[in-house]
Amino acid sequence: MVGVVNQLSDLHDCVKKRDTTIFAVKVAELAVQCFITKNKVNVQGLVLAGSADFKSELNASDLFDSRLKEQVIRIVDCACGGENGLSQAVNLAADALSNVNLVQEKKLLKEYFAQISLAPDKVAYGLQDTLRALEASAVKSLIVFDNLEITRWTLQPSDRSKPPVVIHTQDGDTNRTNFIDKDSRQEMEVIDQTSLLEWLVSVYQQSGATLHFVSDCSSEGTQFAQAFKIGAHLRYALNLEQLAELRDDEYEAI
């Protein structure tokens, strides 16, 4: 009887090992399909999650693409699967994911500051110049401080034959000077009021730009937030001072 039990146990182990290998092959294949494009990894980090040992075994297996192994930033145990398991995995790996984002932010800002020194006519910095460049469809990559507390106002002058005026104010600013029509000395009618962040999210793609949010959690991020708050890499050299002189400037200084 013991011999029979041992044989059944061995058979069970063989079947389990075979099924695990088949599953590992499928997961490894899907990982390549999802996370490698044109022979290049398309993510900055991978989190392997699950309730058993399979995730660790996969990471150690030769079946798992070596390029993806290099991107594994955390292996976590989850108590469930599906969307709840995904949410739990994200929470458990939050610190590792945050570090990945921070590394990308630092790289982005270092390249931006270097461009200011090497080719200043191919970058915009500060609110007015960046919005002028965005309006001219010259922005390739838009960089915005993620805690930008600025409101965008669209105002109608008393003389309705005149075009609307756009101004920006720091959140909490109660100074209404820029709301006064310079001709009539009357306060202009508010047509629209929105967060500048929300407005940028809604319009940046219209000019074919990409949008990157950065925090002040690094020295580069702190420098950017204090000096500019918003900036951009341009597609081509642009004389922003000349552009401002050629048109009435709707972007009032904060």
Side-chain angles (χ1 to χ4, degrees):
M1 185 68 178
V2 174
V4 174
V5 172
N6 286 340
Q7 288 177 358
L8 289 174
S9 177
D10 291 343
L11 179 61
H12 177 268
D13 290 342
C14 288
V15 172
K16 181 179 179 182
K17 184 176 181 180
R18 184 199 63 187
D19 290 345
T20 300
T21 301
I22 293 173
F23 186 55
V25 170
K26 189 63 176 177
V27 171
E29 290 176 349
L30 288 173
V32 170
Q33 293 176 22
C34 293
F35 304 125
I36 294 182
T37 304
K38 295 181 179 180
N39 211 33
K40 291 184 178 181
V41 178
N42 57 27
V43 293
Q44 281 89 43
L46 287 173
V47 175
L48 303 184
S51 59
D53 295 330
F54 176 77
K55 55 190 178 297
S56 298
E57 294 172 358
L58 176 67
N59 192 47
S61 170
D62 292 335
L63 296 171
F64 195 39
D65 193 289
S66 59
R67 294 167 293 180
L68 296 179
K69 285 185 181 181
E70 294 175 356
Q71 299 300 321
V72 174
I73 58 174
R74 184 63 59 85
I75 299 176
V76 298
D77 291 313
C78 292
C80 53
E83 292 186 3
N84 290 335
L86 177 61
S87 178
Q88 185 180 21
V90 170
N91 289 334
L92 291 171
D95 57 337
L97 293 172
S98 177
N99 289 337
V100 170
N101 290 335
L102 193 59
V103 169
Q104 294 302 311
E105 284 183 17
K106 289 168 68 70
K107 180 182 178 182
L108 176 71
L109 291 174
K110 284 180 179 179
E111 292 174 350
Y112 176 73
F113 291 138
Q115 189 78 336
I116 291 177
S117 300
L118 298 173
D121 56 350
K122 292 195 69 176
V123 293
Y125 43 85
L127 179 67
Q128 296 186 51
D129 282 354
T130 303
L131 292 184
R132 291 189 195 109
L134 187 64
E135 185 184 63
S137 298
V139 171
K140 178 181 179 181
S141 176
L142 183 63
I143 306 171
V144 183
F145 176 43
D146 62 6
N147 194 28
L148 189 68
E149 297 179 338
I150 296 176
T151 299
R152 175 184 171 90
W153 304 80
T154 304
L155 309 173
Q156 178 61 57
S158 301
D159 183 349
R160 294 189 172 273
S161 64
K162 294 182 178 180
V165 175
V166 174
I167 68 170
H168 298 89
T169 61
Q170 194 74 36
D171 290 358
D173 185 3
T174 58
N175 187 349
R176 306 289 290 186
T177 302
N178 289 330
F179 290 77
I180 303 301
D181 188 324
K182 296 178 181 178
D183 295 327
S184 69
R185 309 308 301 170
Q186 300 294 316
E187 188 165 302
M188 291 180 280
E189 176 187 352
V190 176
I191 299 175
D192 183 60
Q193 172 190 355
T194 187
S195 160
L196 180 58
L197 270 179
E198 293 180 3
W199 182 83
L200 289 170
V201 169
S202 69
V203 303
Y204 78 94
Q205 289 182 317
Q206 296 175 10
S207 61
T210 58
L211 177 61
H212 304 276
F213 290 111
V214 297
S215 68
D216 57 358
C217 295
S218 66
S219 57
E220 293 85 358
T222 299
Q223 181 181 351
F224 181 83
Q226 292 178 347
F228 307 132
K229 292 184 174 62
I230 178 172
H233 286 285
L234 306 182
R235 292 192 175 89
Y236 47 82
L238 189 65
N239 189 326
L240 292 167
E241 291 184 2
Q242 186 179 43
L243 182 64
E245 293 173 356
L246 292 175
R247 58 188 293 283
D248 292 330
D249 186 16
E250 65 171 327
Y251 303 117
E252 299 290 341
I254 295 176

